[in-house]
Amino acid sequence: MPPAMAWRLDIAVQTPAHAALGDLLSYASPAPLVPGTLVRVPLGRREVLGVVWNEPSPLDDAEPDMALKPVGAALDALAPLGDAWRDLVAFAARYYQRSIGEIALAALPPQLRDLSGTQLARRLKRKTTTGPVAETAEAAHPVALSAEQTAALARIEAEAGTFLLVGSTGSGKTEVYLRCVADLLAGDAGAQALVMVPEINLTPQLEARFKARFGDDAVVSLHSGMTNPQRLASWLAAHSGAARIVLGTRMAVFASMPGLKLVVVDEEHDPSYKQQEGARYSARDLAVWRGQREGAKVILGSATPSLESWHQSRPAEGEDPGGRYVRLAMPSRIGAGELPTVRLVDMNLQPPKTVLSGALLDAIGQRIARGEQSMVFLNRRGYAPVLACADCGWKSECPHCSAYRVFHKIDRTLRCHHCGFTERVPRACPSCGNPDIAPVGRGTERLEEHLAELFAAVTRPDGSAVRIARIDADSTKKQGALESQLAAVHSGEVDVLVGTQMIAKGHDFRRITLVAAVNPDGALFSSDFRAPERLFSLLMQSAGRAGRDAAYLAAQGATAEMWIQTHHAQHPLFSALRKHDYTAFARQQLEERAAAGMPPFAFQALLRADARTQEAAQAFLNAASTAADALAGAERVVRYPAVPLAIQRVANVERAQMLIESPSRAALQRLLAQWQPLLHALRRTPEGKGVIRWLVDVDPHSI
């Protein structure tokens, strides 16, 4: 070891999954580098990007371990990542049971890993410096606020902490966000705001509104739909403070923002905020933690908040001290707009195999005749969920998954939505040769075709043919497809819009006066206790697309309606939905969960194992449960027997899971932390043979 190498640095690097190498690796450096500095370091045969994590310590010549590898180049053109950012990463790694390096490196733009110090310095020269936000024409003539918006803004201004803004669809939550950001930036020249949305397709819409208000230079986006150079440019602008406002999806919660003073999480209930691959973090929960750590205000907004957030915002009552969040209510729509009337169609009273009831078709026809738009929501893409042979019972099962391949008529394929395996539709039954194989069930493609047939003879007010459009993951694959389809809806070219949940939330369609949900019953009796909550949110959000423009409704002489076709019209979920009564629904759900000891009254984690056989996966999980018996505090944590996942085989990999539950979050976290080394060791025993991977999912969203 040369004498110049005088410092030991603890560095976070992205170590291989389940390598059990520990959180930080030590390297030798000739100079003490500041924590947060990005460096290149050798790892195996590669050179990788790392983050200096702790204060450097001098290397003692007498230390027996002098074989530390030397640090490579430091990317010192970039300002070090701050203490608050490193605290956020460390908390996320600890809470979600992952390594610090995995979280830290995943949070950085991928292109940073490939740039040299010189290339990075050139990139940084292109960035503008931070300055006052220019007032745009829209900012100079802001819209008038309602009394509810004014009251919410006053409380956000006067109080600190986390706010739950419960605003019905169309109540003007976005305007509240815009005003909060404007007040912040006007009062503090170095302040930054983070605004999060659940899905990429909502980002351009919100980005346009923020740029119209604050100008192009003040706003950057961060989401996975961007190219690597775009992500790097946005990240550098946020890190330097040049970008005053960062808009993004869940990944944006890890953006390096030294001046962060405000975090907005729009549609905070949305399951998309929970990462489902790798480190399974909840961006909403991390946003709240980050706000507390950095002294930033946090606004969680939704018409149908998650039951966890609703419970955390409960007012104090008797001996209950109440929740940690401040609840703000905006129940009224802007202007004279009213929430749509909810109509239930009891499908038990309809002829067998009815897809759309006569009354619903008549209502859509009336809308078309008046030049209004309707939206038909079905949360299942493709033409039909399965192709089947009536003679021998063959069905279009996926050979690699325990699921059916979906029939897509447009390109005549059978496609597995789990592993992606795709084949052309066979000319005859592969089992018995019967040429008469038929689709069973309905997806958005088939519904679109069905509606086109039903309204083929109907004309629009100008005499032209009715136009049916479909928006789902299949119709929006090509770049720019979603934007052009949404533009067609906004311009009035589309009469009936068919789609999945992609169209159910966030969009501000001004001419839609009728929304219909075709087949929502599946979630009512799901084994997942969160399914009713998700269904209620989705239907409320869908209803919120109707009648958003009160002036348009008045001019048309129309009323906004939400039609729901169901076989369970008496279900309490629909009773609450008819009254737009989220409070009643939440009360009933929370009472059930309290009685059953489920979140938010208990805390959960899943231990998952993927293996070549189901027996191997379950044997690993059951052995892990037995090993946990010896851990301190194990008696405070319930471990249920291992079971297969609902879709137990995907891409020829068998999947099993074990639910772990405790009334104490601290007890659950202590057990999980102690369990990690046992799980790593178990992989190397006979019980671990055949196991491909295992993972811990803390606060799982679906079980």
Side-chain angles (χ1 to χ4, degrees), residues 662-680:
S662 175
S664 163
R665 193 196 298 269
L668 179 65
Q669 282 288 323
R670 274 196 298 273
L671 181 97
L672 292 175
Q674 294 177 76
W675 216 1
Q676 286 280 343
L678 298 182
L679 292 168
H680 283 296

Side-chain angles (χ1 to χ4, degrees), residues 131-135 157 178-193 214 244-245:
V133 175
E135 188 178 75
E157 174 68 28
L178 287 162
R179 293 292 180 104
C180 286
V181 172
D183 292 346
L184 171 75
L185 302 191
D188 184 341
Q192 291 175 293
F214 300 107
R244 305 293 303 283
I245 302 162

Side-chain angles (χ1 to χ4, degrees), residues 169-170 174 202 205 209 333 373 486 489-490 503 505-512 544-549:
T169 50
T174 305
L202 299 180
Q205 191 176 325
R209 285 197 67 176
R333 279 189 153 178
Q373 294 174 318
L486 290 174
V489 179
H490 288 302
I503 59 172
K505 49 197 175 188
H507 301 291
D508 193 15
F509 300 125
R510 310 305 289 179
R511 303 185 199 196
I512 285 182
R545 299 315 108 208
R548 295 177 73 87
D549 189 334

Side-chain angles (χ1 to χ4, degrees), residues 438-467:
V440 178
R442 273 169 205 281
T444 47
E445 268 183 41
R446 194 174 189 184
L447 187 59
E448 177 190 23
E449 180 183 275
H450 186 59
L451 282 162
E453 291 167 358
L454 290 169
F455 291 108
V458 179
T459 56
R460 307 172 75 183
D462 62 5
S464 61
V466 170
R467 182 169 172 196

Side-chain angles (χ1 to χ4, degrees), residues 233-247:
S234 291
W235 187 89
L236 290 172
H239 177 66
S240 67
R244 305 293 303 283
I245 302 162
V246 174
L247 292 178

Side-chain angles (χ1 to χ4, degrees), residues 642-655:
V643 293
L645 266 72
I647 296 173
Q648 69 179 55
R649 181 167 52 95
V650 170
N652 292 325
V653 172
E654 292 284 341
R655 312 183 305 163

Side-chain angles (χ1 to χ4, degrees), residues 85-108:
W85 184 87
R86 296 199 315 283
D87 285 352
L88 173 70
V89 167
F91 169 77
R94 190 169 64 248
Y95 187 80
Y96 294 106
Q97 304 296 317
R98 310 297 289 198
S99 75
I100 286 176
E102 180 187 7
I103 303 270
L105 273 296
L108 298 175

Side-chain angles (χ1 to χ4, degrees), residues 406-478:
V406 174
F407 172 39
H408 289 258
K409 188 176 181 182
I410 285 177
D411 56 2
R412 301 291 299 173
T413 59
L414 290 174
R415 199 180 308 161
C416 178
H417 290 174
H418 300 282
C419 72
F421 178 67
T422 303
E423 278 186 331
R424 299 287 295 167
V425 172
R427 294 181 181 276
C429 172
S431 181
C432 72
N434 172 25
D436 192 16
I437 50 176
V440 178
R442 273 169 205 281
T444 47
E445 268 183 41
R446 194 174 189 184
L447 187 59
E448 177 190 23
E449 180 183 275
H450 186 59
L451 282 162
E453 291 167 358
L454 290 169
F455 291 108
V458 179
T459 56
R460 307 172 75 183
D462 62 5
S464 61
V466 170
R467 182 169 172 196
I468 316 280
R470 171 171 55 88
I471 294 183
D472 57 27
D474 297 314
S475 72
T476 56
K477 276 181 183 170
K478 291 181 182 170

